[in-house]
Amino acid sequence: MEWKNVRGVDTPRHRITWTENGKRRERVVTLDWKGDLAELDRLYWLCERGQHPRQKPPAPATSWRALVIAWRSDPRVQNRLSDGTKRSYRRTMDALLEKNADKDVRQTTRAHVRALHDKLSATPRKADHHLQVIRLLWNYAKNKLDWPLGENPAEGLELYGTTREFLPWPEWLVGKLAEAPHDVRVACELILGTGQRPNAAIMMRYDDFSGEWMWVWDEKGKDRFEVYCPPRLRAFVASLRKQGTHLVAKNLTEGKGYDSVEKAFRTWRKTLGDAAQEYTLHGLRKLACIELAEGGAGDAEIQAVTGQSAKTVAYYRRLADKKKLSRSAQTKRERNKNET
């Protein structure tokens, strides 16, 4: 350590010298000790161990932080994503950056990714989502940013399994909505009545409703369109005491967000016992799809209401068809027994 007079003030500095390719190199770190000997001692030993922030090498241009920033700043990517998907990606990317922000993407190996996946095995859905995000970012860096990357280290690793489909709510749980807290009940009635994604339904305003029609927002398609409003939902909306521009109001001009409502929903769900714990807000959207199918709506009609993909509609239509067929079969069975 050395002292240097800077503008009339003696200032401690830590100097490191070394030889690189036959040339003398050095790095000098000014110790901001603020006149505190204990702080000076701490900074000195940080430098001796090479751990002072000023001694850290600059992050490479191909760091994970640079990659995430580029991905989040690309309108070609962001404009195609729903708000819910963006939040999901943000959480996982933030977790990845906690320990890897300044690490070079090019140094990431398949062994590193597998170790992370194994470490999160207690939460398989979370573990698989980390793989998905790493694979997505790697492909973006290679194909859109032209980074010199090799084979994607997350490609081909075995997943713990696809996540279970959201369960449609049973009748007994829907019946419990009458006892739910105000915001939870309003949100649930909107999701079930509109068939929309929870976030889009929760953010609905009173001026989205006009007579027999309502305006809904397709988050993924980034499209707003008008659909028929079922009588039950019309009557429910008309029964509400208006507290602001939004049905689930934060104040006079703002609506509450999905996270706030979902937290309140989980708190209420705990009061209903173990039987209710596997059901989510998304399950109401699935129930809407099944009710439409049971009512005789075709796939195209269901898609016109809910905005779901043809694959998703087909899956929940099969559930509805099974219920109808089982009722028909059991009725015939009982009729045959009685006739015999």
Side-chain angles (χ1 to χ4, degrees):
M1 186 174 69
E2 63 185 31
W3 292 81
K4 182 177 180 180
N5 190 281
V6 180
R7 298 186 182 90
V9 178
D10 288 333
T11 303
R13 306 195 312 171
H14 190 279
R15 182 187 301 270
I16 300 176
T17 62
W18 70 96
T19 301
E20 184 177 304
N21 297 325
K23 294 184 178 181
R24 184 177 182 276
R25 306 288 187 184
E26 71 172 38
R27 177 179 295 136
V28 178
V29 178
T30 300
L31 306 182
D32 184 18
W33 68 307
K34 299 181 174 61
D36 184 341
L37 289 176
E39 177 66 4
L40 178 60
D41 186 64
R42 186 184 74 84
L43 293 174
Y44 170 79
W45 287 109
L46 276 179
C47 288
E48 284 292 299
R49 294 192 297 267
Q51 296 176 348
H52 192 284
R54 292 283 302 278
Q55 292 175 298
K56 291 182 179 180
T62 51
S63 70
W64 281 101
R65 187 197 309 277
L67 175 52
V68 169
I69 291 174
W71 184 87
R72 288 174 175 173
S73 305
D74 191 338
R76 297 169 300 178
V77 173
Q78 302 305 312
N79 291 342
R80 295 197 303 265
L81 301 177
S82 70
D83 291 339
T85 301
K86 290 178 185 176
R87 284 197 302 272
S88 176
Y89 281 148
R90 177 169 288 277
R91 283 194 296 268
T92 300
M93 289 179 187
D94 286 347
L96 288 171
L97 291 180
E98 282 183 10
K99 293 185 177 180
N100 302 284
D102 294 329
K103 292 182 180 179
D104 195 327
V105 173
R106 297 171 298 176
Q107 302 303 316
T108 302
T109 67
R110 193 175 182 82
H112 291 145
V113 178
R114 183 184 286 109
L116 173 62
H117 194 229
D118 292 344
K119 182 179 178 181
L120 297 173
S121 60
T123 51
R125 184 175 179 179
K126 183 178 183 179
D128 286 351
H129 196 250
H130 273 66
L131 281 193
Q132 176 191 350
V133 169
I134 292 172
R135 185 166 57 243
L136 175 151
L137 288 172
W138 189 281
N139 288 338
Y140 175 80
K142 186 174 182 178
N143 300 324
K144 301 297 183 182
L145 302 180
D146 295 323
W147 285 8
L149 302 179
E151 182 181 353
N152 193 321
E155 201 69 56
L157 289 180
E158 184 178 359
L159 301 178
Y160 289 110
T162 55
T163 56
R164 185 180 63 180
E165 293 287 349
F166 297 113
L167 296 176
W169 284 28
E171 291 183 8
W172 69 264
L173 185 54
V174 176
K176 291 288 186 180
L177 284 177
E179 308 166 12
H182 178 268
D183 288 347
V184 172
R185 185 186 179 191
V186 173
C188 289
E189 292 285 357
L190 287 172
I191 298 166
L192 180 59
T194 65
Q196 300 305 301
R197 294 179 178 85
N199 186 62
I202 289 168
M203 293 304 295
M204 291 186 76
R205 301 160 51 104
Y206 279 98
D207 57 13
D208 287 328
F209 295 87
S210 179
E212 296 182 341
W213 302 93
M214 59 183 174
W215 287 94
V216 296
W217 173 250
D218 178 7
E219 288 183 303
K220 286 194 174 180
K222 298 291 183 182
D223 189 23
R224 188 171 182 263
F225 53 94
E226 198 171 18
V227 297
Y228 180 76
C229 182
R232 171 180 164 171
L233 182 57
R234 257 182 279 155
F236 177 76
V237 172
S239 72
L240 295 175
R241 183 170 64 87
K242 193 171 181 180
Q243 298 177 321
T245 57
H246 292 74
L247 278 77
V248 184
K250 179 180 180 180
N251 52 45
L252 291 178
T253 59
E254 298 176 295
K256 288 188 176 180
Y258 171 82
D259 291 342
S260 171
V261 175
E262 202 273 336
K263 181 178 180 181
F265 164 75
R266 283 187 280 111
T267 299
W268 171 68
R269 186 179 61 185
K270 288 180 182 178
T271 68
L272 303 180
D274 293 341
Q277 302 313 304
E278 58 184 342
Y279 299 103
T280 66
L281 291 176
H282 291 270
L284 281 167
R285 188 174 187 228
K286 309 310 178 184
L287 176 59
C289 184
I290 290 177
E291 288 182 345
L292 288 165
E294 289 178 340
D299 286 6
E301 292 174 307
I302 296 173
Q303 284 184 272
V305 173
T306 65
Q308 290 169 311
S309 68
K311 181 180 178 181
T312 300
V313 169
Y315 173 81
Y316 286 100
R317 169 177 285 289
R318 286 197 296 273
L319 294 185
D321 289 343
K322 284 182 180 179
K323 289 181 67 177
K324 288 195 294 185
L325 288 172
S326 68
R327 174 182 292 176
S328 174
Q330 295 285 27
T331 300
K332 290 177 181 178
R333 175 187 181 189
E334 292 299 313
R335 185 186 304 125
N336 181 62
K337 287 181 62 176
N338 291 336
E339 289 176 355
T340 302

